Amino acid sequence: MVVSMKEMLIKAKNNKYAVPQFNINNLEWTRFILEECQKNNSPVILGVSEGACKYMGGFKTIYDMTNDLMEYLNITVPVSLHLDHGSSFDACKEAIDVGFKSVMIDASRFEIDENIRITKDVVDYAKEHGVSVEAEIGHVGGQEDDNNSGILYAEVDECIRLVNETEIDFLAPALGSVHGPYKGEPKLNFERMKELSDKTNLPLVLHGGSGIYDEQLKMGISCGICKINFNTELQMAWNSALRSEINVNQAYDPRKVIKFGEKAMKECISTKIALLGSNNRA
Ligand code: 13P
């Protein structure tokens, strides 16, 4: 059964590593990620955006699919199924009501008072159901589902207000990362990251992990990052393997075609786990 992120991220914070969030897009994606994390004995967070949720048939379908796959595959590492970028109280409530043990409320597009108000409503509901809550502040740049935004670095005093006034479990401060490919070099504000980690004492989350240099990811972990989200890099690894195989392999059965990208995707997953140090931390 899927679990909340709380215990896994507190353990990560105490032991200075990070747990990967890999976003899922379909059954095969979920299966490949679960199998590879089990092989590496790594805890894992399966991120589901609202768009991916609609694509896959709704929260309940995903919840049942994940738990049933875990049972079928004998997955014993801790797995958290997490609503990624929940856009409203209603979206978070819907996920919680079907059994999700972790949600992100992303009210970062609002002014701080409104962000706090919406986030607090989600936390109050989530706490009644034993569900952990991540919240965002500032703007992660790039594209997430259908939303495009520029980077806006999170302010320290606003982060502290958000944490103290809502009692969230994890903070996702925008500090220079973007969703999707980077144009130019990623410019992360590590000084502010460390300050936020010291002042809030919460596990920090880094969105837009794809394309951030390995040394920067390690630096982030040393500055208090305990969860790093990856989506684009897995998609690219799967896609380029599929493109080269499909030209030479005449298979037309979708079960075979989708698997053309399995090896490359799993290699990418293992590489990220080793980099984050979450292997053998289950
Ligand atoms: P990337 O697609 O850039 O890896 O970002 C994923 C993410 O942050 C999901 O919330």
Side-chain angles (χ1 to χ4, degrees):
M1 291 288 279
V2 293
V3 295
S4 116
M5 299 196 311
K6 195 154 185 175
E7 204 178 304
M8 59 171 93
L9 292 198
I10 288 174
K11 192 171 157 198
K13 182 169 164 57
N14 291 340
N15 293 282
K16 291 250 171 239
Y17 63 92
V19 179
Q21 171 180 309
F22 298 117
N23 284 52
I24 57 174
N25 297 290
N26 56 27
L27 180 140
E28 289 82 358
W29 230 252
T30 312
R31 180 181 184 135
F32 297 160
I33 295 167
L34 288 175
E35 285 175 343
E36 200 59 13
C37 291
Q38 179 72 28
K39 189 173 142 199
N40 283 282
N41 198 24
S42 169
V44 65
I45 296 150
L46 302 177
V48 195
S49 67
E50 284 180 45
C53 192
K54 281 197 195 107
Y55 174 80
M56 285 190 273
F59 290 113
K60 182 156 185 331
T61 305
I62 294 169
Y63 179 78
D64 289 343
M65 175 189 76
T66 305
N67 280 317
D68 291 350
L69 266 179
M70 283 175 67
E71 193 181 326
Y72 178 73
L73 299 170
N74 288 320
I75 301 296
T76 54
V77 297
V79 176
S80 186
L81 181 63
H82 178 67
L83 172 62
D84 192 27
H85 293 280
S87 62
S88 63
F89 173 83
D90 287 348
C92 293
K93 180 177 181 299
E94 208 181 321
I96 293 168
D97 287 350
V98 304
F100 278 50
K101 288 278 166 268
S102 195
V103 294
M104 173 187 189
I105 172 68
D106 182 356
S108 63
R109 64 193 178 282
F110 297 108
E111 291 299 315
I112 182 66
D113 288 330
E114 186 64 355
N115 188 346
I116 289 173
R117 190 189 65 74
I118 297 168
T119 303
K120 176 89 175 88
D121 282 351
V122 172
V123 171
D124 288 348
Y125 191 73
K127 291 262 148 88
E128 288 169 19
H129 295 80
V131 171
S132 57
V133 179
E134 171 187 336
E136 179 169 317
I137 187 160
H139 292 155
V140 173
Q143 172 128 19
E144 177 71 17
D145 278 344
D146 294 329
N147 300 321
N148 260 308
S149 66
I151 300 173
L152 183 66
Y153 287 76
E155 299 291 339
V156 175
D157 51 345
E158 291 192 347
C159 289
I160 291 170
R161 274 195 63 198
L162 182 70
V163 169
N164 291 345
E165 294 178 34
T166 65
E167 297 185 33
I168 50 173
D169 301 291
F170 326 106
L171 178 68
L175 292 172
S177 59
V178 306
H179 291 120
Y182 283 80
K183 296 189 183 98
E185 295 204 353
K187 292 197 175 57
L188 300 181
N189 188 335
F190 292 111
E191 212 176 301
R192 196 171 298 178
M193 208 179 268
K194 176 87 177 72
E195 187 181 354
L196 285 172
S197 174
D198 290 345
K199 290 190 171 159
T200 65
N201 203 26
L202 283 189
L204 300 183
V205 176
L206 180 62
H207 281 250
S210 300
I212 298 183
Y213 304 144
D214 292 359
E215 289 318 308
Q216 292 180 310
L217 292 180
K218 285 189 181 159
M219 182 70 162
I221 294 168
S222 75
C223 292
I225 296 289
C226 302
K227 166 179 179 264
I228 305 181
N229 296 0
F230 301 99
N231 187 19
T232 304
E233 264 186 77
L234 290 197
Q235 295 185 348
M236 286 177 162
W238 175 81
N239 184 274
S240 67
L242 174 83
R243 279 174 190 272
S244 51
E245 185 70 18
I246 215 159
N247 287 330
V248 292
N249 192 319
Q250 298 303 310
Y252 49 83
D253 181 336
R255 290 172 297 184
K256 293 191 177 139
V257 174
I258 292 174
K259 274 172 90 67
F260 288 162
E262 176 180 357
K263 188 163 166 281
M265 196 177 140
K266 285 185 166 173
E267 277 167 10
C268 184
I269 291 168
S270 272
T271 305
K272 296 303 178 196
I273 287 173
L275 191 61
L276 271 52
S278 66
N279 46 320
N280 296 318
R281 299 287 190 170

